[in-house]
Amino acid sequence: MTTKNKTEIYWTLLKNKDWNIYLAATSKGLVFVGSQNKPFEELSVWAERRFPGIPLVEDGEKLQPYAVELIEYFEGKRTSFTVPFDYNGTEFQLAVWNALCEIPYGQTKSYSDIANYIQRPAAVRAVGTAIGANPVLITVPCHRVVGKNGSLTGYRGGLEMKTQLLNMERQGLTAKER
């Protein structure tokens, strides 16, 4: 991981109904979306591991565009995100994360579907590892990936958060069909 051109990481705590999530961004884009109701340490430990020595600066104003889109998502008014990302990863991780962004709102795909999509059908376990390294939950929708048999599988935010997100999206689709 390189840290060039990253002089500060800005953060804020997004509070919306039952959701308390830490967000972080550089001047280039969103770098971190935390797990529901987790402490600040989730962000600080991640940041120190990924960007050692880069200061974390609380700045709700800089994070406002990201917070607005997440709130719209939680309210069922947004099905995809337009904010810029500044995530760092290997070429393989970036391919997986980009593939996740192609999963339509309210739908799910399996790990093997993602492996096939990126034309690496034998890399199902590596796809799982890359998904687990996704630093921007919700906005890069790794919660939409399930086991081949449709069962819920691991999620950095926990299976309860994954279930809530999937249920919220299903309800959003149902409301739009009325």
Side-chain angles (χ1 to χ4, degrees):
M1 269 330 109
T2 64
T3 56
K4 62 181 180 218
N5 301 326
K6 288 186 175 56
T7 55
E8 294 177 323
I9 297 174
Y10 306 102
W11 69 271
T12 195
L13 175 60
L14 169 65
K15 293 182 178 187
N16 182 264
K17 298 178 184 160
D18 295 334
W19 296 89
N20 294 301
I21 297 176
Y22 284 96
L23 309 178
T26 65
S27 59
K28 294 180 181 179
L30 191 64
V31 293
F32 182 84
V33 175
S35 305
Q36 183 180 14
N37 300 323
K38 293 289 186 191
F40 179 77
E41 285 72 29
E42 181 189 32
L43 168 59
S44 63
V45 167
W46 174 86
E48 185 55 39
R49 212 178 301 135
R50 302 296 280 196
F51 303 102
I54 303 297
L56 288 171
V57 178
E58 186 174 9
D59 191 331
E61 190 175 313
K62 282 196 186 336
L63 275 292
Q64 189 64 23
Y66 309 102
V68 165
E69 287 201 9
L70 277 159
I71 289 167
E72 289 171 352
Y73 169 83
F74 291 137
E75 293 175 348
K77 298 174 185 171
R78 173 170 294 281
T79 60
S80 62
F81 295 89
T82 61
V83 293
F85 296 106
D86 184 21
Y87 44 56
N88 292 290
T90 65
E91 188 177 320
F92 182 82
Q93 287 173 325
L94 295 174
V96 170
W97 299 341
N98 289 331
L100 297 177
C101 292
E102 299 298 319
I103 303 172
Y105 179 88
Q107 295 182 26
T108 59
K109 298 286 182 190
S110 70
Y111 293 92
S112 54
D113 290 335
I114 301 299
N116 287 327
Y117 184 86
I118 64 169
Q119 300 178 343
R120 299 282 301 274
V124 176
R125 284 181 179 251
V127 163
T129 301
I131 290 171
N134 172 21
V136 283
L137 297 180
I138 304 168
T139 55
V140 172
C142 54
H143 61 276
R144 296 181 189 153
V145 179
V146 296
K148 198 169 195 166
N149 63 1
S151 64
L152 290 188
T153 55
Y155 184 65
R156 177 169 58 91
L159 290 183
E160 183 179 333
M161 181 178 172
K162 185 172 188 168
T163 301
Q164 284 181 287
L165 293 169
L166 291 173
N167 287 341
M168 187 173 57
E169 289 186 10
R170 285 186 196 110
Q171 291 169 358
L173 283 177
T174 304
K176 287 180 183 6
E177 293 168 357
R178 286 187 220 147

